[in-house]
Amino acid sequence: LNLGSKSRQPAVVLPTSSCGFKMFQWEVVLVLAAFGQLVHATVPDFLAPDSDDVPRHVEQSAFLDELEQIVGPGHRKVAEFNLQGITAILRTTFVALPKTERGGLSASAARYTIHRYFIQRHGWQVKGLAPLGGSWLPSKPPLGMGNHLPPRLRDLFEERFNAENYDLNGIALITASIEALIHAEAVRRLHTAYQVLAIDTQADLTAQEAID
């Protein structure tokens, strides 16, 4: 993933008008479906225990252990810390979108869901997630990101997740991983800037020094 600089391609791309229309169509689906969920929601639904909590926790831990080997322990902690909040944000979109026969999202719907998260949460358009054409159907696995991901992370996604049926937990793990990867790149660039300017990384900077 690339956060953008003068010497490298930016990590964000502007969508085409066709893509924007497709995104608008998804938004309409979300609004209508969310209204239906509001009308039919009941208190017992919110209080019912989730029988999948234990295996889901085991799956998350196993995935995060492998992620740590790719991005390091510090950025694994970032992903793990943010995972619950990311899941809560994604849930509304996940619930509202049409499901596969197995109850998850198709590749195109999962791609849209993650893209929408980064747009709303950070204002980012992550390369590969936003389609260059009018279709959300990924042309490269996983979810269109292909070579924009480090090979080991790409292999991990392809190994761990069903490309035809993405559940909420899987989408949240992918989202948290991408966010941790961007965080890791931002930290590396910041350290590089400190080294170039011969600034001690432990030094306190004034607001003006930080801007400069």
Side-chain angles (χ1 to χ4, degrees):
L1 293 173
N2 194 325
L3 293 182
S5 69
K6 292 182 179 179
S7 60
R8 299 173 62 185
Q9 291 183 337
V12 297
V13 292
L14 293 175
T16 63
S17 58
S18 178
C19 170
F21 177 72
K22 289 289 184 180
M23 188 168 183
F24 173 75
Q25 290 180 312
W26 278 119
E27 297 287 350
V28 172
V29 171
L30 286 176
V31 171
L32 295 176
F35 178 76
Q37 290 289 328
L38 180 63
V39 171
H40 293 97
T42 62
V43 172
D45 289 332
F46 291 111
L47 300 181
D50 188 345
S51 60
D52 294 332
D53 277 348
V54 174
R56 182 179 298 121
H57 176 72
V58 172
E59 178 187 344
Q60 288 178 352
S61 296
F63 178 89
L64 290 169
D65 286 343
E66 294 189 59
L67 179 66
E68 181 175 336
Q69 301 303 313
I70 300 172
V71 300
H75 300 298
R76 176 251 171 89
K77 290 180 181 178
V78 171
E80 189 169 16
F81 179 81
N82 291 334
L83 189 57
Q84 184 175 357
I86 290 172
T87 303
I89 294 172
L90 292 172
R91 187 181 303 277
T92 300
T93 306
F94 179 87
V95 170
L97 290 176
K99 304 297 187 296
T100 66
E101 292 182 355
R102 297 177 58 186
L105 297 184
S106 66
S108 58
R111 183 186 188 189
Y112 167 78
T113 300
I114 299 173
H115 168 75
R116 188 172 188 264
Y117 167 85
F118 282 113
I119 287 291
Q120 292 189 328
R121 182 77 169 175
H122 301 294
W124 298 343
Q125 293 198 46
V126 180
K127 272 193 171 181
L129 283 177
L132 296 179
S135 174
W136 286 92
L137 185 64
S139 58
K140 298 179 181 178
L143 300 178
M145 289 176 285
N147 295 332
H148 297 299
L149 293 173
R152 291 178 64 192
L153 185 59
R154 183 173 66 245
D155 293 343
L156 178 60
F157 285 171
E158 293 179 356
E159 174 188 339
R160 285 281 179 173
F161 304 115
N162 186 331
E164 303 300 327
N165 185 75
Y166 291 87
D167 62 15
L168 177 60
N169 184 54
I171 294 173
L173 285 170
I174 291 173
T175 305
S177 301
I178 297 171
E179 200 167 62
L181 195 63
I182 294 174
H183 181 264
E185 183 173 341
V187 171
R188 284 195 300 270
R189 290 190 176 197
L190 186 59
H191 275 285
T192 299
Y194 269 70
Q195 291 173 356
V196 169
L197 298 173
I199 300 175
D200 183 354
T201 57
Q202 303 300 317
D204 293 329
L205 301 181
T206 66
Q208 187 58 49
E209 288 174 332
I211 293 173
D212 294 340

